[in-house]
Amino acid sequence: MSKIVPLPIKSSAIVIKELQDDIRPSDPIKANEYILQNMFFKQDETGQLTPYEFTVGLDEFKKHGLGLYLYFKFLEYAIYVFFIMSIIASVICYFNSTGNGLDAWKNLNLLQKLSVGNQNKIESSSGTTYTTSDIQQFYTDSSMWLSTLTWMDFSYTLIFILFYLGFTYWSNKSISESLVKEKVPANFSIGIKGLREDERDPNKLKNFIEDLGFKVKEVKYAKNYSNTLLLHKQEAELKIKLKGEEIKARYPDYDPKIKQKYLKELQEIQAERETIIKNTIGKRLKHDEYPTLMAFVIFQRIGDKNMFIKEYKTNTNFNFFQTLCCGKKVEDKYLYKGNVLKIIPQVDNPSNINWENLEVSSSNRFLRQIIVGLGVFCLMIITFFIVFAINVVSKYSPEDCEIRDYTYENTQQWISQASTASEKSQIQQCFCMNLSLTTLYADYFDYCSDIIYQYTGIQALQIASAFVILIVNSLLQLLIKSIVTFERYQSLSKKLSGTLTKLFISLFVNTALITLILKANIYGFKLSYYLSSPIPPLQSAQQKEVFPSDFNREWYAVVGAAYVNTWIINIFSPYFIDFVLYPIKNWFRKREAANAKIQRDLNKLSVGPEFDLDLYYANLLNTIFVTLFYCSLIPLMLPLGFLALLIHFLVQKFLLLKFYRKPPSYDEALHDSVFTLLPYSIIMHILIAIWAYGHPYIFPSSSDALIDNEGFLDVSKDSVWIRISNSSQISILGVIFVIILIIKYFFINPLQYLVKVCCDSEAVVVDFAQEETYDQIYDQISSVQLATYEIRENENYKDLVYSLDSDHRSPTQRKSEEERVPLQDI
């Protein structure tokens, strides 16, 4: 095996040279170098970077961060699981399609026949009333179908539960193994707090650790910027833009207003920064002169790291009993300048750190999270009523129809007997809606033209409302991503986890719960009607709407079938748009790149946009939740969910390899957030299944619960316990799953923590003779991500550090704002 020579850390002079290159006239050769460094490429045996093929295995993604690998692996396995579940659901769809429960609405939507509501209804042998024999036969048949449905639902629910438990175990094992096997900087690194603020020389801390017998690659300090880092960063970016404007000014089509705009923004930022520096810091400082906050230490081996953590804690973390009664005392060699250091065993990868947020205390961040939570809640209320109003305006169906024999002759007779114009119109409408499409267009088009146009308009409104909901969700996502920045997360992964949770909840509420609330009628309680009371137009519009009682047959016909149409648009349109717009976006980007005047603009236009893992995780989670939420009512949701996940996987993998820029090295934070939320999808599915299968009108609990009420079937007995007993298999499964969660979160997890604390259990130390050093694998790591905690090497912060050091002069030393652009002094 050939020896890998580590790349040297770049000096500040090289960084300055790179900045000069960024704001020089554009050069396609340098842009190509930028593409190789920032796109999702692999390194071959000769060290050359080449694009991945679409067929590349997911294990290759592990080199670019464990978080990205876990995302695609979870999506891949979810596709397999949903495929198996879809096969079972397809059998249920077939059983449902053979029923006659929704014949009265047979032409409202073809998808309604696949729902549970289409289970056979009671039939009268006499043609007018229901006899005891009719009721008994209906009960016998419904009991048989109920048993079949609940066992099938039990089967695919159990499959998903096993998938959740199995993947949780596998992913936890993979995360643990990655601490040793995967070559990422965080596995070799620790954080250290407890340093003096005036600590300046990282080599002293490095020598202290090495004197204890552990080999260290590097020690880098993080600084406390007194909340000015963002302003410094914005200032540095504006200075770069102003330098670029000077180059653009050489061309005849230059607009000087842009430069004036940047200068105005620069003055405002500098004024704000000057105020903070004057009131908080007292004087202008160079980067290295800012107070030291903490240190990042990269060890040469993971074994060095683990042994240092274990030995240092063993010899410094003495409890009260050990100190007072046993006389335990920290040896001088474990004291750094007289202090015991606070060790942070696991830190983020260098490219994953938000350096400006490290200084924010946990209490301050908690307060910020409360404020952001309230802001997101207000946004969700606003979007709730927007989507709510859209659903109210776009009615689900025409007026309700009585269950009759709608022949043309009978219809004319009923119309002649009707006393009002509205009754006649409704009878005509019901006749037309019960015709097959072939008969409707062939024989009764003129007679039913008004109804056809009305029905077409309703369908168009439903489609339009689905797209409006999609637009509202997209705007809400942009707003949430903007305000989450206020929470000041310490790492990109933690920020994305917080964004993911808020995005998912908003998506699920808008796409699943609002539709349910809109038509909810729980024992006469119409939640939608009461929620709309503050807005009279919405309430008056709903007075004309039908509120189906619970999950009865009317609900499946009026709400369920229409929701499938809306959901098809919601789950497929984002991926379809992404894939269709891919070549268009590429064309526009290349066109703009051809006209780029400076290297910085050309570089940005030469690579694709960021891969928003939090957004894609939120959409993935929303697809799973909504599918499981409604699949007991409408089994077709499972095949649709499978197709959505499959398209999601294919499109996102293709765009990641061919379009998006190389993402940061995500850790497992997003994955952990998803698997914290995922059990709730199972619980909600089980609760909805129990309520749906226990509906006494479709699946009566006993023949005694059915009464012959003047020719109309009525329900006399209904309770929560009856519904639970109707679907006993699923109820038992739900109880078992909840018990598993309780054992996991309230017994196993606390026990593991106690064992770790009491027994000082640490990671297994790898044999030093077999373990590669960080120097040996530095070249491999740096080819896929940032391999050092030197902030001057970070693409997002190097402009900032140079700006701090070059702008160290006092304001009196500057003659004009133009002199404050440091790159002009080069």
Side-chain angles (χ1 to χ4, degrees), residues 160-168 675 678-679 682 737 741 745:
F160 190 81
I161 290 175
L162 294 175
F163 161 66
Y164 164 74
L165 296 175
F167 195 88
T168 300
F675 272 74
L678 203 58
I682 301 172
F737 181 67
L741 293 181
Y745 289 108

Side-chain angles (χ1 to χ4, degrees), residues 3 204 231 400 573-574 741:
K3 183 179 179 180
K204 292 182 179 180
L231 294 175
D400 299 323
S573 53
L741 293 181

Side-chain angles (χ1 to χ4, degrees), residues 96-109:
N96 291 337
S97 67
T98 61
N100 62 357
L102 299 178
D103 282 354
W105 299 275
K106 62 184 178 182
N107 287 325
L108 180 63
N109 195 303

Side-chain angles (χ1 to χ4, degrees), residues 132 135-136 139 700-708 714-717:
T132 304
I135 293 175
Q136 185 62 44
Y139 171 71
S701 58
S702 68
S703 57
D704 295 335
L706 305 174
I707 296 177
D708 183 15
D714 196 5
V715 178
S716 61
K717 296 180 181 179

Side-chain angles (χ1 to χ4, degrees), residues 208 212 214 306-319 322-323 327-336 339-341 343 760 762:
F208 167 75
L212 294 176
F214 306 99
N306 293 332
M307 286 297 297
F308 171 76
I309 294 172
K310 185 172 184 178
E311 180 176 330
Y312 195 82
K313 287 187 174 182
T314 301
N315 290 279
T316 58
N317 287 5
F318 300 134
N319 57 39
Q322 291 173 315
T323 304
K328 291 283 188 179
K329 183 180 178 181
V330 179
E331 297 181 29
D332 289 341
K333 72 174 185 177
Y334 292 104
L335 297 176
Y336 181 68
N339 295 323
V340 175
L341 301 175
I343 306 299
D760 194 26
E762 296 292 343

Side-chain angles (χ1 to χ4, degrees), residues 42-238:
K42 65 178 178 179
Q43 189 176 38
D44 60 20
E45 296 178 354
T46 63
Q48 296 296 319
L49 294 172
T50 57
Y52 284 106
E53 298 295 332
F54 180 73
T55 54
V56 63
L58 295 184
D59 287 343
E60 195 71 20
F61 287 12
K62 197 180 299 185
K63 299 178 182 178
H64 299 270
L66 183 63
L68 187 69
Y69 170 72
L70 289 174
Y71 166 72
F72 276 99
K73 207 67 180 176
F74 170 59
L75 182 54
E76 180 185 41
Y77 285 130
I79 291 172
Y80 296 142
V81 170
F82 267 74
F83 175 72
I84 298 172
M85 295 166 66
S86 297
I87 294 175
I88 300 175
S90 299
V91 177
I92 300 177
C93 287
Y94 172 75
F95 285 153
N96 291 337
S97 67
T98 61
N100 62 357
L102 299 178
D103 282 354
W105 299 275
K106 62 184 178 182
N107 287 325
L108 180 63
N109 195 303
L110 296 177
L111 298 176
Q112 66 185 4
K113 283 188 169 293
L114 304 179
S115 68
V116 173
N118 199 44
Q119 289 291 314
N120 284 329
K121 59 187 177 183
I122 191 170
E123 295 181 346
S124 173
S125 57
S126 64
T128 56
T129 59
Y130 301 116
T131 65
T132 304
S133 176
D134 295 335
I135 293 175
Q136 185 62 44
Q137 183 63 43
F138 172 62
Y139 171 71
T140 302
D141 293 341
S142 65
S143 298
M144 180 189 67
W145 287 114
L146 175 63
S147 178
T148 303
L149 288 174
T150 51
W151 275 115
M152 287 188 173
D153 198 316
F154 175 91
S155 300
Y156 65 68
T157 305
L158 180 61
I159 290 172
F160 190 81
I161 290 175
L162 294 175
F163 161 66
Y164 164 74
L165 296 175
F167 195 88
T168 300
Y169 172 80
W170 175 86
S171 60
N172 288 338
K173 184 178 178 182
S174 298
I175 293 170
S176 300
E177 291 176 350
S178 72
L179 296 176
V180 176
K181 293 183 179 180
E182 297 306 317
K183 306 302 189 269
V184 294
N187 294 346
F188 292 81
S189 308
I190 64 169
I192 294 180
K193 289 189 175 182
L195 300 169
R196 292 166 53 95
E197 290 188 350
D198 59 355
E199 187 72 43
R200 294 287 183 267
D201 188 1
N203 287 325
K204 292 182 179 180
L205 181 59
K206 179 180 179 181
N207 293 335
F208 167 75
I209 298 174
E210 289 187 333
D211 287 344
L212 294 176
F214 306 99
K215 295 182 180 180
V216 177
K217 165 66 177 177
E218 71 173 32
V219 175
K220 299 296 178 182
Y221 287 157
K223 300 293 183 177
N224 186 339
Y225 303 97
S226 299
N227 295 317
T228 62
L229 189 59
L230 283 176
L231 294 175
H232 283 305
K233 188 175 181 180
Q234 293 168 1
E235 180 189 30
E237 291 170 350
L238 282 170

